[in-house]
Amino acid sequence: MSQLSSFLRNLHLYSTLPKSRNFCPYCSSNTPMLPYEHPLTGNRKFYGQCSRCQCRWRTRFLYFLIQMEILSRRDEISVLHTAPEYAVWKLLSQQKNIHYTAIDINPKIYPPETACQYQDLMNLSLKKHHYDFLISSHVLEHVEDDFQVLRQWRRVLKEDGTVLLCLPVSRREKTVDERDLKKSVPLSEAERLQLFGQEDHLRLYGQDVVQRLEMGGFSVRQIVPEKMFPRQVLLQMGDMGLVPDNNPLQLDTNCFFILTPRRNSDWYPTPHYINRLPGQVHPHFGWRAISKSPVPSSWSKSRHFHLHARS
């Protein structure tokens, strides 16, 4: 109840704002929003970038999740933040009970005060089962092997750890991954823009995104902002950045998830690299079983698995 009460107190601040004003929780003040343009929107501009801290709408909604999951804690906790947003760093680094670590594969692009460390997400050189929370916004679509990243996250998280995750997700049924296309050469930036919505994306997640995250060994809870709060409350944080419905990729840039590691499970099957992993091939599913943990029965009925099963 204490977490809920604290959360509702913060929500009340938004609901009492004038309808014509915007509010950024990181700046704790009314502030005008700057325009930015998504490549899939044509000439439409989003007025969702804070003029003071430059955070976008998705980062401001992430504040709600941080408030509920992290700031409500009074004990000492460790937080790992990938590709850190400056506003989030400033918020968490000021908390006395939080041991905050920021990482990126290119730490030089961040201000020195963030103390951002070099880490390759597919091969983290961090302590095992050390972090209580991991924050990642719009990162998984940039890495070569997202399943390997999920396994690395499980390794560095405590058994009761939590991931706060934000991803761009298409309304299409299935994820489109560059590895599935089996091209002899990497896609060009123009091809990635057309297929994935951005030049440096390597995949576009579809409505099977929850199942893919579960394959990485996590229990997944999807957070839908429009179901949590009235639309007017969300709009008071600026333009939500929703790409128009007629965009060719049917893209929604504001999909949030809370992940928790599955217990008693060292490894979960992944559809990629099925025949490249060491171990014993499962006779039905076609993946190489390393863990003795039972596979959820729903997976055996999944079309996603049958598409990748051995003939």
Side-chain angles (χ1 to χ4, degrees):
M1 290 298 295
S2 60
Q3 293 187 19
L4 179 61
S5 299
S6 177
F7 180 63
L8 291 177
R9 284 196 298 270
N10 282 276
L11 176 61
H12 176 71
L13 176 62
Y14 294 92
S15 61
T16 56
L17 290 175
K19 293 184 179 180
S20 60
R21 302 295 297 274
N22 294 131
F23 182 81
C24 177
Y26 296 101
C27 301
S28 300
S29 64
N30 300 101
T31 181
M33 298 297 167
L34 301 175
Y36 69 96
E37 188 172 330
H38 192 280
L40 295 179
T41 63
N43 295 324
R44 176 187 169 186
K45 292 183 178 179
F46 298 133
Y47 287 84
Q49 184 167 338
C50 177
S51 58
R52 295 185 63 181
C53 65
Q54 283 73 53
C55 69
R56 294 185 178 180
W57 191 94
R58 63 176 182 254
T59 308
R60 289 192 290 280
F61 184 79
L62 189 62
Y63 177 88
F64 282 120
L65 303 184
I66 292 174
Q67 173 71 33
M68 287 191 299
E69 299 289 334
I70 300 179
L71 297 183
S72 60
R73 297 278 295 267
R74 294 294 176 263
D75 54 328
E76 288 196 4
I77 56 176
S78 298
V79 177
L80 182 64
H81 191 183
T82 67
E85 294 84 0
Y86 188 82
V88 178
W89 163 81
K90 189 173 182 180
L91 172 69
L92 295 180
S93 62
Q94 294 175 348
Q95 310 301 317
K96 295 182 179 180
N97 67 313
I98 295 178
H99 302 281
Y100 175 88
T101 303
I103 61 172
D104 194 89
I105 199 166
N106 188 11
K108 294 182 180 180
I109 66 175
Y110 298 93
E113 59 266 27
T114 63
C116 187
Q117 304 175 15
Y118 169 82
Q119 288 288 340
D120 181 354
L121 287 180
M122 294 195 296
N123 187 25
L124 293 174
S125 58
L126 298 171
K127 293 181 180 179
K128 185 177 181 180
H129 302 321
H130 178 71
Y131 293 95
D132 298 280
F133 293 93
L134 189 150
I135 303 173
S136 179
S137 178
H138 284 234
V139 172
L140 276 183
E141 68 273 18
H142 292 271
V143 299
E144 180 180 352
D145 188 345
D146 53 342
F147 288 110
Q148 173 64 14
V149 173
L150 291 172
R151 288 192 289 271
Q152 288 291 308
W153 287 359
R154 286 190 68 250
R155 185 181 65 82
V156 300
L157 277 173
K158 293 181 179 179
E159 291 184 358
D160 59 347
T162 301
V163 179
L164 306 183
L165 178 66
C166 178
L167 292 172
V169 177
S170 170
R171 298 186 189 94
R172 295 177 178 177
E173 181 182 357
K174 294 196 61 178
T175 295
V176 180
D177 194 300
E178 183 170 332
R179 293 171 296 176
D180 292 334
L181 303 178
K182 298 180 180 179
K183 297 282 187 179
S184 57
V185 294
L187 297 178
S188 65
E189 291 187 353
E191 289 174 319
R192 286 175 176 167
L193 176 61
Q194 182 180 11
L195 288 173
F196 309 136
Q198 194 164 308
E199 295 89 341
D200 55 351
H201 286 188
L202 302 183
R203 65 189 53 82
L204 176 59
Y205 289 102
Q207 294 303 300
D208 59 347
V209 59
V210 171
Q211 185 181 22
R212 289 176 66 93
L213 295 173
E214 289 176 342
M215 289 178 183
F218 288 93
S219 297
V220 182
R221 179 159 58 102
Q222 185 166 0
I223 305 298
V224 181
E226 291 83 352
K227 292 183 179 180
M228 290 183 65
F229 309 109
R231 185 175 179 85
Q232 183 58 43
V233 173
L234 299 175
L235 289 175
Q236 284 171 352
M237 289 189 291
D239 195 322
M240 289 188 287
L242 297 178
V243 179
D245 290 337
N246 61 354
N247 77 85
L249 298 181
Q250 301 177 333
L251 186 64
D252 183 353
T253 60
N254 298 317
C255 292
F256 300 87
F257 307 88
I258 295 179
L259 315 182
T260 53
R262 291 182 183 272
R263 294 186 176 181
N264 302 322
S265 148
D266 296 327
W267 188 84
Y268 273 81
T270 60
H272 296 287
Y273 308 125
I274 288 174
N275 295 319
R276 303 182 192 180
L277 296 172
Q280 183 178 2
V281 177
H282 191 284
H284 177 66
F285 294 115
W287 47 267
R288 300 177 181 271
I290 298 176
S291 173
K292 296 181 180 179
S293 303
V295 177
S297 59
S298 59
W299 290 3
S300 63
K301 302 176 183 178
S302 167
R303 185 174 70 171
H304 187 79
F305 265 90
H306 288 293
L307 288 174
H308 294 279
R310 290 171 62 90
S311 58

